[in-house]
Amino acid sequence: MTALTDDTLPVTPRAMRDEMVVFAVMALLLAAVPFTGVYPFFVMQALCFALLACAFNLLIGYGGLLSFGHAMFMGTAGYCSAHALKVWALPPELGVLVGIAAAFGLSLITGYISIRRQGIYFSMITLALSQLLYFIYLQAPFTHGEDGIQGIPQGRMFGVFDLSKPTVLYYVVLVGFLAGFLLIYRIINSPFGEVLKSIRENEPRAISLGYRTDQYKFLAFVLSGTLAGFAGALKVFVAQNASLTDVHWSMSGEVVLMTLVGGLGTIFGPVVGAFVIIAMQQYLAGFGQWVTVIQGSIFVICVLTFRRGVIGEIAHYFRRSL
Amino acid sequence: MQALYAQLLVGLINGSFYALLSLGLAVIFGMLNIINFAHGALYMMGAFVAYFLLNLGGINYWWALLLAPIIVGIFGMILERTMLQWLTGLDHLYGLLLTFGIALIVQGVFQNYFGSSGLPYAIPDQLKGGMNLGFMFLPVYRGWVVIFSLVVCLATWFLIEKTRLGAYLRAATENPTLVRAFGINVPRMITLTYGLGVGLAALAGVLSAPINQVRPLMGADLIIVVFAVVVIGGMGSIMGSIITGFALGVIEGLTKYFYPEASNTVVFVLMVLVLLVKPTGLTGRAA
């Protein structure tokens, strides 16, 4: 078993400081977006996918588990939030909670099933489970099949923030993203995260040291799935719809691609990767299916020549952990 | 009862495709340690090559049955030589990601030129029509697909389990370094194995062309079902792959008759049940 990342650096105060500086710069840049004239919808969308990719990265980058079905958490949370907002007419904060709860429940079930196998089988199982869910949502009445749930009311978050105003919505999404990001950062640097990394590096040794690795992997799966659900719930307010594309396997593939481009097992990589891929889709939208071809080519190029990803290469160059 | 037999037949046909595809996946995994995500795309290429041969070259179905697997197999061997071989020694997941990328490229290119709709491929004259078996009406072509697939599966089993070449193959799966020490060119064997697995996928594609039409995305959803089949059956045994493939096809066919709403999902549900009861898969070793 070869390790995913060849250079694991110890967590030092300096590394922590570097990461906090980069985080502060990222937060400031993102907070300044509404003043720059950049299309906020694009950035909001990218933020939702960035959070999804970070959640996915928690599993692959730190637990060594490649989930090929992460779209199911985003899609499930999206559908449930959308249903809660539109049909039950719940306020936004409760709508988000419904979505997160749904993703939490789903990750408990799917984690219990998929964690039973490792490596390549784990990937195939998560993919098959997400396809199972896709067909269920295709037939279930509340998802409205091919049409999806449309025209979702945005409402007022906590009764104060009017989400129909783009700038307000932007900051709500940004705060959600940063909160999710910090939570993942905290998990990665916790004792739990350290054990997770040791499982990724050498599972038999972790077992021999007395860790019940299955439980650690299960918890990582549930955390990752729930956070992916949070991203999906946020996305409902941005896109104002929930549709089958969010549960399709191609979406799961895109999440993998974002993380791979940014750098597996890096803290900031998934964010960079999400912005790169979403921007690419935006600019190449007119090229039809060539976008798929380009995405496939990026996969091939990344795997063959660029396995560390953008942030991974930078971190490697400066011998820092980012 | 007619409808039940008809669905059973459809199930057997789908089972043939599952068996051919999961067989190829198992053979490739054994030698390359890669789960070939591009398998569905190469299955689709097989159907398209048959379509091109007929419509551009006037080459009929029977030649396509031979030529399409060879052409796609060569394409696969080029992929192996130029890309997959560089993954030796890396984590399994990179093989999955690389072949996923290849699948996206191949499917995307075909979608650009042929959209998402199906192209018709006529049943060859010799296999047109049907026969009355007393209890059901059997379209000849469908019967042919089942029998021919079964023969190909068993021939592959024979090749791998009973011949000298197969013995080399199995030995190289267990310990490539030692086999190389005996003077056998293992890298070339790996390339040929990938070609064989891919050729089986292309053959399934040709067989399915007259039944399911030729579509750029015909392999995309199928491959996910085949993954579930592989999880259920395990990749440790060739015969296991064949039996699991056919059995799941039949179960799917029966579901279509008794509870059509679940026909898309039954294989996945079975996968969940198998994982809960016997996590290593029906024939598999722990992995």
Side-chain angles (χ1 to χ4, degrees), chain B residues 101-125:
Chain B
I102 294 172
L104 287 184
I105 295 173
V106 172
Q107 271 158 202
V109 166
F110 277 89
Q111 263 187 296
N112 267 305
Y113 291 108
F114 301 96
S116 289
S117 53
L119 301 166
Y121 187 94
I123 295 174
D125 290 335

Side-chain angles (χ1 to χ4, degrees), chain B residues 158-277:
Chain B
F158 185 83
L159 175 76
I160 291 170
E161 298 289 336
K162 301 288 167 195
T163 65
R164 179 172 283 267
L165 184 67
Y168 291 153
L169 208 73
R170 281 177 286 131
T173 305
E174 292 291 325
N175 191 339
T177 321
L178 194 64
V179 175
R180 282 182 90 158
F182 285 126
I184 292 165
N185 190 339
V186 173
R188 186 189 294 159
M189 250 167 67
I190 291 177
T191 309
L192 287 173
T193 307
Y194 192 72
L196 170 73
V198 164
L200 286 172
L203 183 73
V206 181
L207 288 171
S208 99
I211 301 175
N212 297 323
Q213 296 200 315
V214 182
R215 289 182 300 118
L217 291 180
M218 63 195 284
D221 289 334
L222 182 65
I223 189 65
I224 302 178
V225 183
V226 173
F227 279 175
V229 172
V230 165
V231 172
I232 293 172
M235 285 186 290
S237 123
I238 298 291
M239 202 45 113
S241 301
I242 299 173
I243 295 171
T244 321
F246 275 99
L248 286 171
V250 170
I251 292 172
E252 202 181 51
L254 289 175
T255 314
K256 246 177 222 159
Y257 179 78
F258 289 107
Y259 189 61
E261 289 82 359
S263 59
N264 282 328
T265 48
V266 62
V267 175
F268 302 120
V269 173
L270 279 173
M271 179 194 79
V272 170
L273 292 178
V274 167
L275 283 171
L276 291 177
V277 177

Side-chain angles (χ1 to χ4, degrees), chain A residues 1-2 60 66 113 116-117 120-121 124-125 127-129 131-132 135 139 249 256 289-290 293 296-297 299 307, chain B residues 35 89-92 97 100-101 108-109 111-112 221 224 227 235 261 265 268 272 275-276 279-281 287:
Chain A
M1 191 73 184
T2 42
I60 172 83
L66 171 64
I113 297 164
R116 290 161 171 257
R117 296 292 284 275
I120 219 75
Y121 283 99
M124 291 196 283
I125 292 165
L127 176 62
L129 288 173
Q131 187 79 346
L132 171 62
F135 282 118
Q139 291 170 345
W249 57 262
V256 181
Q289 286 303 322
W290 288 114
V293 179
S297 312
F299 259 110
R307 279 186 288 277
Chain B
I35 282 291
L90 289 176
D91 194 285
H92 283 347
L97 297 180
F100 180 69
V109 166
Q111 263 187 296
N112 267 305
D221 289 334
I224 302 178
F227 279 175
M235 285 186 290
E261 289 82 359
T265 48
F268 302 120
V272 170
L275 283 171
L276 291 177
T280 51

